[in-house]
Amino acid sequence: MYGPIRLSSIAAKLVVGGAALALLPLAGIGTAAADPVADGTLLAKVTSANGSYVEKVESKGPQDLIIYVHSGSMNRTFPVEVQRPHDTSVPRPTLYLLNGLDAGVGDASWQARTDAFDFLSDKNINVVSPIGGIASYYADWRNPDPALGVNKWKTFLTAELPPIIDAALGTNGKNSIAGLSMSGTSVLSLAQSEPTLYESVAAYSGCAQIADPLGQQFLKLTVERGGGNYENMYGPPNDPMWAANDPLINAEKLRGIDLYISNGNGLPGAHETLTDPHLLVQNGNAPASLANQVIVGGVIEAVVNYCSHNLENKLNQLGIPATYSFPPSGTHSWGYWEDELKRSWPVLSGRLGI
């Protein structure tokens, strides 16, 4: 039987029907075979302090749900993919799994390009992966963007979504977060903004430096690929907001969090083959897609590899421990991120008690 549902440590008042909600023990909850949430019946529906709430729920299978969460800060509703734990007999922790540039929209996602959800399906953890936020860096932008709209993703991922997920799924309030490429930067920033929210963080192929010319140019190119104007994020290049949100500059705020940092070096490796199942084939042209992965993906990975080694140096200077994975090959592509998720699992799960 579940004990009292413990909400994560976020300063958000939860209300239902205008009244404060007390979350009480729920009786009669069984094991994974009788998961009461699997059919789309959430344990509790709550509204966060700024008006975020669950709009609807779809059941996709014995462990899989899509929860549609309306964000009060962005005034938009986003689908959130959820995979329930293998064993739901007691409250379980949560892994927030963030996507890259395309933010899970389309075929470039953890769900579509990797076996991440299959790998995690026998683990005792709630997997939560929001869909939306293309080229946003999952940040709170200073200004609305003509192409990308209002981006308040830091607020969504730290103050709106976690308390809703905790109540809906009956979690134990412990969280980890992992992200790749664009979100390999974001997971560090999010952890720094709410240092007690995440027990562990895994950043795959992310660039931790966004305030210096190199990092800022890389971010600019990423945002422009999504159609946005990067100055709407934190202002012009010399604006203090860039340094205030730079994960490398603010590395001290990662102290006490279990960290996993990984990067390839840009050289072709095991996943650069036409038969690799992770290859993102564009316009039906596999050879051209592979060439793009080798050339463009190689250059991008070499750049972010430089960023990751700078982060390693900074954390070492501060005496902050981390686990690093820097293989002798690897491009900016899905096969390597799948590999690194599996390698990072002991770090992600270590302090979650599973």
Side-chain angles (χ1 to χ4, degrees):
M1 183 173 70
Y2 273 67
I5 299 172
R6 174 186 154 202
L7 298 182
S8 54
S9 54
I10 299 173
K13 178 183 178 183
L14 303 179
V15 296
V16 172
L21 174 71
L23 298 177
L24 301 176
L26 299 176
I29 295 178
T31 64
D35 179 11
V37 177
D39 65 354
T41 305
L42 303 182
L43 296 181
K45 291 185 179 181
V46 301
T47 301
S48 69
N50 69 351
S52 300
Y53 60 91
V54 173
E55 191 171 281
K56 64 177 181 177
V57 185
E58 295 177 359
S59 176
K60 294 295 183 180
Q63 289 180 261
D64 302 319
L65 306 168
I66 299 181
I67 302 177
Y68 293 83
V69 178
H70 184 83
S71 166
S73 62
M74 292 183 276
N75 195 27
R76 293 173 60 193
T77 298
F78 299 100
V80 179
E81 293 182 332
V82 172
Q83 181 171 271
R84 293 286 283 153
H86 175 66
D87 177 1
T88 59
S89 60
V90 297
R92 298 297 186 183
T94 303
L95 169 64
Y96 288 88
L97 196 59
L98 303 187
N99 287 288
L101 168 67
D102 293 337
V105 178
D107 291 335
S109 69
W110 283 109
Q111 186 76 286
R113 305 314 314 171
T114 75
D115 68 357
F117 281 76
D118 288 339
F119 170 72
L120 295 166
S121 65
D122 65 350
K123 311 295 189 292
N124 289 321
I125 195 164
N126 296 284
V127 183
V128 174
S129 187
I131 307 300
I134 292 173
S136 69
Y137 273 83
Y138 294 108
D140 277 7
W141 287 36
R142 167 180 279 179
N143 302 314
D145 187 86
L148 302 178
V150 174
N151 284 307
K152 296 293 181 183
W153 283 93
K154 180 175 75 173
T155 296
F156 183 73
L157 290 168
T158 61
E160 296 176 355
L161 185 60
I164 288 173
I165 288 295
D166 285 349
L169 305 182
T171 80
N172 66 7
K174 291 187 175 183
N175 306 300
S176 288
I177 190 168
L180 60 95
S181 188
M182 177 187 81
S183 66
T185 303
S186 309
V187 294
L188 299 170
S189 298
L190 292 166
Q192 289 169 339
S193 69
E194 287 288 344
T196 63
L197 181 57
Y198 307 108
E199 305 286 338
S200 51
V201 174
Y204 319 120
S205 302
C207 185
Q209 53 199 80
I210 64 171
D212 69 286
L214 175 65
Q216 206 164 78
Q217 181 63 24
F218 181 77
L219 181 146
K220 177 176 181 288
L221 293 173
T222 302
V223 172
E224 287 178 346
R225 283 181 63 195
N229 180 347
Y230 85 107
E231 290 194 7
N232 287 322
M233 186 183 295
Y234 296 135
N238 60 347
D239 193 287
M241 279 190 73
W242 289 99
N245 290 279
D246 185 296
L248 184 67
I249 292 173
N250 296 284
E252 173 62 38
K253 295 180 180 179
L254 297 171
R255 190 179 298 277
I257 300 171
D258 285 355
L259 300 170
Y260 185 94
I261 312 296
S262 73
N263 247 109
N265 61 7
L267 295 176
H271 293 291
E272 273 64 59
T273 68
L274 288 172
T275 57
D276 192 278
H278 309 92
L279 180 64
L280 187 58
V281 178
Q282 299 176 336
N283 301 318
N285 192 331
S289 300
L290 179 59
N292 182 75
Q293 180 170 306
V294 171
I295 298 170
V296 178
V299 171
I300 293 174
E301 194 71 2
V303 172
V304 295
N305 186 46
Y306 171 77
C307 297
S308 292
H309 279 83
N310 287 342
L311 178 61
E312 179 188 24
N313 293 336
K314 181 66 175 289
L315 292 174
N316 286 340
Q317 291 170 10
L318 293 171
I320 297 176
T323 299
Y324 300 97
S325 177
F326 298 134
S329 63
T331 62
H332 204 70
S333 53
W334 285 100
Y336 301 102
W337 297 326
E338 177 184 296
D339 293 343
E340 290 303 322
L341 171 65
K342 294 173 181 178
R343 291 188 185 115
S344 67
W345 177 245
V347 174
L348 287 170
S349 62
R351 289 171 55 186
L352 298 179
I354 55 176

